């Protein structure tokens, strides 16, 4: 935590020159929240936790992978988070600094992620799975274990997702949530 605090203090010197921040005349009790209150707000999901190096791998709503160093016992893989951020160009490279990061409920975060409409085109009872065609003509093969309802062929589904890049730089859809959608809304 001391290491994080030192990085935070150094970044605060820069934040004081940032157009959205307010100059600090007296030190408030929660300096981080005070400085960051006017910084942009973002949502993400924790994709991986490197416990040895205390680094969180966070994928934000734009499917950008962000690394955050700091000890957070309450944040685990799959946790949805909310944070303020600052983007700076340092030595020609874009650096993203995260502040006031904390866990939130999925229903608070999911509306901020990408959503796409899909339709169930086939159900495989033997494999306990179903196929969904999404609007860009891609097919998804999904298990019934991932959802709490049982769709039928022709049902519309709202699919909340991210598209993180793999090691080769290719985007791959990672589904966060699937909810039924009224077919009346799409005709």
């Amino acid at each position: 935590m001391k290491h994080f605090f030192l990085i935070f203090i150094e970044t605060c010197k820069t934040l004081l020159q940032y157009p959205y921040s307010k100059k600090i005349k007296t030190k408030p009790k929660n300096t981080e929240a005070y400085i960051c209150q006017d910084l942009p707000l973002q949502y993400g999901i924790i994709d991986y936790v490197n416990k040895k190096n205390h680094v969180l791998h966070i994928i934000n709503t734009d499917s950008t992978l962000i690394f955050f160093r700091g000890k957070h016992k309450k944040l685990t893989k799959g946790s949805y988070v909310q944070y303020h951020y600052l983007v700076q160009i340092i030595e020609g490279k874009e650096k993203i600094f995260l502040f006031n990061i904390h866990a939130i409920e999925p229903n608070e975060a999911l509306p901020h992620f990408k959503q796409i409409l899909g339709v169930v085109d086939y159900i495989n009872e033997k494999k306990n799975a179903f196929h969904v065609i999404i609007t860009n003509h891609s097919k998804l093969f999904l298990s019934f274990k991932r959802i709490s309802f049982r769709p039928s062929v022709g049902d519309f589904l709202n699919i909340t997702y991210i598209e993180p890049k793999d090691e080769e730089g290719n985007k791959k859809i990672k589904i966060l949530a699937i909810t039924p959608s009224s077919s009346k809304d799409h005709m």
Side-chain angles (χ1 to χ4, degrees), residues 4 49 54 56 68-76 101:
F4 170 74
V49 177
H54 308 292
L56 300 175
F68 179 73
R69 183 179 298 262
K71 291 183 181 180
H72 289 283
K73 294 178 183 176
K74 295 179 181 178
L75 299 178
T76 59
I101 184 169

Side-chain angles (χ1 to χ4, degrees), residues 21 28 46 48 50 57 60 66 72 75 94 97 121 130 132-134 148-149 151-152 159 172 181 183:
S21 65
I46 298 177
Y48 177 74
N50 183 330
H57 296 212
N60 70 8
I66 301 169
H72 289 283
L75 299 178
E94 188 177 88
F97 296 95
D121 75 327
F130 60 101
V132 177
I133 297 176
I134 52 179
S148 61
F149 61 95
S152 302
I159 301 168
K172 186 174 181 180
S181 178
S183 60

Side-chain angles (χ1 to χ4, degrees), residues 18-83:
Y18 189 67
Y20 295 116
S21 65
K22 298 176 180 178
K23 292 194 176 186
I24 298 176
K25 294 180 181 173
T26 59
K27 185 177 177 183
K29 290 181 182 177
N30 188 348
T31 307
E32 183 176 340
Y34 181 79
I35 290 174
C36 299
Q37 67 186 358
D38 292 332
L39 291 176
L41 187 63
Q42 180 65 276
Y43 299 85
I45 185 169
I46 298 177
D47 190 49
Y48 177 74
V49 177
N50 183 330
K51 292 181 182 179
K52 180 181 177 185
N53 297 322
H54 308 292
V55 177
L56 300 175
H57 296 212
I58 301 170
I59 300 176
N60 70 8
T61 56
D62 298 327
S63 298
T64 303
L65 178 61
I66 301 169
F67 301 98
F68 179 73
R69 183 179 298 262
K71 291 183 181 180
H72 289 283
K73 294 178 183 176
K74 295 179 181 178
L75 299 178
T76 59
K77 181 178 178 175
S79 295
Y80 290 93
V81 292
Q82 180 183 52
Y83 54 88

Side-chain angles (χ1 to χ4, degrees), residues 140-153:
L140 300 173
F141 186 70
L142 305 168
S143 171
F144 284 119
K145 294 176 186 176
R146 298 193 59 166
I147 57 175
S148 61
F149 61 95
R150 193 104 173 163
S152 302
V153 172

Side-chain angles (χ1 to χ4, degrees), residues 164-172:
K165 292 182 181 179
D166 60 14
E167 291 82 23
E168 291 84 38
N170 301 321
K171 290 183 177 183
K172 186 174 181 180

